[in-house]
Amino acid sequence: MSTFFLNFNTSTVCRWLKETEKENREPKLLQYIRKLEETGLYEKLLELLLYKVKEKGEERYLPLAKVYHALQLELEMNGISVGYHRFRQIVKAIVVGVLGKNWEEFAHKRRSRGRAQRISFGAVARPKEVLEIDLTGYEFEGKNYSLILGFDLYTGFLFPPFIVENKEKGGVGSYNKAFNSMEVALYLIDVFKKAGIPKVVKCDNEKILKSQLIKEGLSRLGVRLSNTYPYRPNQKIIEVVIKEFKSFMRLHRRSAESIEELAQLAVESYNRNHHRFKHLSEKVIPAELFKGYSRKADETLISTAFVETVERTLKDGQIQIDNLIYQINYPKKKEKVVVKRLITNLKEVMVYQKSSGEFIGVAKLFSKPPVEVETTVEFKQEKLRSKRIDRRKKKLEEEHARLSYMEKPAVSLEEIADGEPQISISIEELESLNPEQERTEESQPRGLTLEDL
C-alpha cells in the first residue's frame, strides 16, 4: 500500500530528492581531476602528455597508452583505480576543458604512424623457435645511432640491441650503412650464447642480413635463414615491435644518461609489460613466457661458425688481406688458396688449397695493424672509420684551398716600397681594363704640333 507525504507519493518524493542530490553532486570526471591535483599527479600527467622529442625530423609524442602505463601504479597507490577507457575520458576532459585544445587533433598526434600500421591481409604465422631481426635508427643527444634488434616470434621477447654511432652522410635515415655483415654475425653470436640456437632466423632482404657470411654461419649451426617478401611490410612483425620499443625509449628518455642505458630501460619495459598477441588467448608478459631456445651449443662452436672466406694467392709464404700480411711456412713459391678468418680473431687465419680443398695450415699475423685491435670486427670498424676521416679531411682541404684563393690580398704600398711587390690583381680590376680600346686610341692619327714644325 502506497504512503503519501503532503499529498505526494513517497516514492515520487524520494526520486525528487535523489535527482536534486545528483544535480548538486560534482561530476565524476571533475572529482578525478581534483584528486589528481591533491595528490600531485596532475602536473606529472600534464608533463607526460605534452612531452615530445624529435625523431627523423618529426615531433613525436608519447602514446596515451604509454602515459597510462607509466602512471598506473601511482594512480592505484593514491586511491585512483581507473581503467584505460576511464583514463582517456579524464585526459579528454583536461585537454578540452582545461587546456582548450581540440581532442581529435591532440589524440591523432599521439597515435603511432608509419608503414607498420597498415592492415594485414591475413594473419602472419608465429611459430616457435624463430628469431626475427631487423635494423633501425635513433637520434639521441644530437647524435645518430644505428641498432640491430632481434625478438622471439612466438613469445614476443625482445633481445637487447647492438648499437653503433652512425656518422654516415644520410643521418639517422641511413642506419643500414653504419653496419656490415660481421657486426650482424657478432649480434647473432651473442644472442645464441645467451638464449640458445633457434630453428629459423627471419629477416628482410637487406644485403648485410643475407650475406654469404651470415648464410654459411647459420648453415653450420643448422639454422635456416628465411627472408620476407619484398614490399610487404605486413609480413614483418618486428616493424610493430620496433615502434613499440621506440615509444618506450621516449618514455625513459629524460632519465637516461646514454643511448645504452636508454635502450636497456626500453627493452626491460617492453619485456615486463603485458602484451596481447593474436596467436595467444590471453595477455602475456614476454619476460615470463620466454625460456630460451631448446637447442644449446658450446660457445666455442658458436663463435667459430661465422667465418670470413676469401680467395688469395700465397706467395713466398705470405698472404695479404685488408693490407695485413699473414705468414706461413709453405714449400711452393706460389699457390692459389682459400683463406678463412674468424670474426672474433684477427691474429690468425686458416689456409686451404683452392684446387683440392686440402688444409695447408694456420697463418699467423706478421704485420702490425694500424690500430691495436683483437677481433676482425674491430679491425673492419677502424678501417671504415679511417676511410670516413680521410674523406672528410680531403673535403676540408679542398674547401680551405678554395677559400684561400678567394681571399688572396691585393698588393700593399709597403710591398711596393720594399721593391719586391707580389703582383696581384683582382677580377674586377682585370675586367676594367680594355686593351682593344687602348690599341684603337694608339692607331688613330695625331695632328701636327709646333714642335713637329
Side-chain angles (χ1 to χ4, degrees):
M1 183 176 178
S2 300
T3 58
F4 291 86
F5 178 76
L6 297 177
N7 296 327
F8 291 103
N9 191 301
T10 307
S11 60
T12 304
V13 174
C14 291
R15 180 169 55 84
W16 287 347
L17 291 173
K18 286 182 180 179
E19 288 178 355
T20 305
E21 183 184 354
K22 189 175 181 180
E23 288 176 1
N24 295 331
R25 190 190 307 160
E26 190 177 34
K28 192 71 174 176
L29 291 178
L30 287 180
Q31 292 180 21
Y32 282 125
I33 294 174
R34 194 175 300 281
K35 200 163 187 179
L36 286 172
E37 292 175 345
E38 293 172 356
T39 56
L41 291 175
Y42 183 78
E43 291 76 12
K44 191 170 184 179
L45 173 61
L46 282 182
E47 186 181 0
L48 289 173
L49 289 175
L50 301 177
Y51 178 70
K52 61 182 179 181
V53 295
K54 206 163 188 178
E55 295 177 6
K56 296 185 179 180
E58 296 183 8
E59 290 183 345
R60 300 288 178 90
Y61 294 85
L62 288 173
L64 292 179
K66 291 292 176 291
V67 177
Y68 172 68
H69 286 304
L71 295 174
Q72 187 177 10
L73 184 60
E74 293 184 61
L75 289 172
E76 292 177 356
M77 290 174 63
N78 287 279
I80 310 175
S81 296
V82 294
Y84 177 63
H85 179 69
R86 174 64 76 178
F87 177 77
R88 282 180 64 92
Q89 291 178 339
I90 297 171
V91 172
K92 185 177 180 179
I94 295 173
V95 170
V96 177
V98 181
L99 301 180
K101 295 180 179 292
N102 181 277
W103 170 248
E104 285 74 18
E105 182 181 349
F106 183 88
H108 176 72
K109 287 181 178 179
R110 283 148 185 84
R111 293 194 192 104
S112 296
R113 299 185 299 276
R115 61 181 185 178
Q117 299 299 316
R118 294 181 184 178
I119 299 173
S120 172
F121 297 98
V124 180
R126 299 184 68 161
K128 296 180 179 181
E129 302 280 332
V130 178
L131 170 69
E132 186 170 357
I133 61 173
D134 200 9
L135 313 176
T136 189
Y138 195 78
E139 183 181 348
F140 181 74
E141 300 294 339
K143 294 182 179 181
N144 297 323
Y145 295 92
S146 295
L147 298 84
I148 306 176
L149 275 168
F151 91 113
D152 181 62
L153 200 60
Y154 182 78
T155 63
F157 182 83
L158 184 64
F159 293 96
F162 183 91
I163 306 171
V164 297
E165 186 178 350
N166 181 11
K167 295 185 178 180
E168 297 298 324
K169 189 179 291 184
V172 71
S174 59
Y175 52 83
N176 54 340
K177 296 180 181 178
F179 289 115
N180 56 53
S181 57
M182 285 192 178
E183 288 164 324
V184 177
L186 206 63
Y187 179 70
L188 291 174
I189 289 173
D190 185 59
V191 172
F192 294 168
K193 285 181 178 180
K194 293 177 180 177
I197 301 175
K199 294 179 180 177
V200 180
V201 169
K202 185 180 179 183
C203 63
D204 60 15
N205 290 273
E206 188 69 42
K207 186 177 179 181
I208 63 172
L209 296 178
K210 59 174 188 177
S211 65
Q212 197 68 22
L213 175 70
I214 302 299
K215 286 180 179 178
E216 292 180 355
L218 292 176
S219 178
R220 290 188 187 98
L221 293 172
V223 180
R224 182 170 63 88
L225 180 63
S226 173
N227 297 111
T228 56
Y229 292 104
Y231 311 111
R232 292 190 186 178
N234 60 302
Q235 295 290 320
K236 294 176 63 178
I237 302 176
I238 196 170
E239 290 283 358
V240 182
V241 176
I242 289 175
K243 296 275 182 190
E244 186 85 357
F245 168 72
K246 287 186 176 181
S247 67
F248 278 113
M249 292 183 83
R250 278 177 235 139
L251 183 63
H252 295 290
R253 184 160 179 158
R254 295 172 301 163
S255 59
E257 296 182 356
S258 65
I259 184 66
E260 291 79 13
E261 183 184 355
L262 177 60
Q264 182 182 356
L265 291 171
V267 168
E268 289 177 357
S269 297
Y270 180 91
N271 288 331
R272 291 292 175 184
N273 271 271
H274 285 88
H275 297 269
R276 185 181 293 279
F277 302 129
K278 289 183 178 180
H279 65 290
L280 299 174
S281 58
E282 57 185 12
K283 286 186 176 181
V284 295
I285 299 176
E288 297 178 357
L289 187 61
F290 182 71
K291 303 300 181 183
Y293 297 115
S294 58
R295 193 158 62 94
K296 308 295 181 181
D298 184 68
E299 292 189 2
T300 306
L301 176 65
I302 296 173
S303 300
T304 56
F306 295 90
V307 181
E308 180 189 21
T309 305
V310 293
E311 293 184 4
R312 288 291 185 270
T313 300
L314 176 59
K315 187 176 180 181
D316 296 328
Q318 291 187 341
I319 307 168
Q320 183 173 345
I321 307 174
D322 295 327
N323 295 326
L324 297 177
I325 304 298
Y326 292 88
Q327 197 166 31
I328 185 174
N329 292 325
Y330 191 64
K332 291 185 180 180
K333 189 174 181 63
K334 196 173 182 181
E335 179 79 34
K336 291 284 185 182
V337 295
V338 175
V339 183
K340 295 184 178 182
R341 182 169 62 176
L342 299 176
I343 66 171
T344 55
N345 186 6
L346 185 71
K347 303 296 183 182
E348 57 186 28
V349 296
M350 295 169 286
V351 187
Y352 300 82
Q353 282 186 353
K354 184 182 177 181
S355 57
S356 63
E358 182 183 350
F359 178 66
I360 295 177
V362 176
K364 301 288 185 179
L365 182 63
F366 177 73
S367 60
K368 187 178 180 181
V371 182
E372 192 63 34
V373 292
E374 294 292 331
T375 67
T376 310
V377 178
E378 292 173 335
F379 176 73
K380 293 282 187 180
Q381 290 172 344
E382 289 295 333
K383 191 176 178 181
L384 290 174
R385 190 178 293 114
S386 63
K387 284 184 178 180
R388 189 165 55 243
I389 292 172
D390 290 342
R391 287 197 301 267
R392 181 62 179 161
K393 185 179 179 181
K394 184 179 179 181
K395 188 175 180 180
L396 289 174
E397 288 175 350
E398 292 174 353
E399 185 70 14
H400 181 265
R402 186 180 68 83
L403 292 174
S404 299
Y405 178 78
M406 292 178 64
E407 296 175 359
K408 189 177 291 185
V411 181
S412 63
L413 293 174
E414 289 78 6
E415 290 176 332
I416 296 174
D418 291 341
E420 295 181 358
Q422 301 293 326
I423 298 175
S424 178
I425 188 167
S426 66
I427 296 175
E428 291 79 8
E429 293 170 338
L430 189 63
E431 290 176 348
S432 65
L433 297 177
N434 193 345
E436 293 295 331
Q437 183 181 354
E438 292 180 359
R439 283 197 295 270
T440 305
E441 291 176 356
E442 290 176 359
S443 62
Q444 289 179 355
R446 293 186 297 124
L448 291 175
T449 63
L450 290 174
E451 287 78 6
D452 293 334
L453 292 173

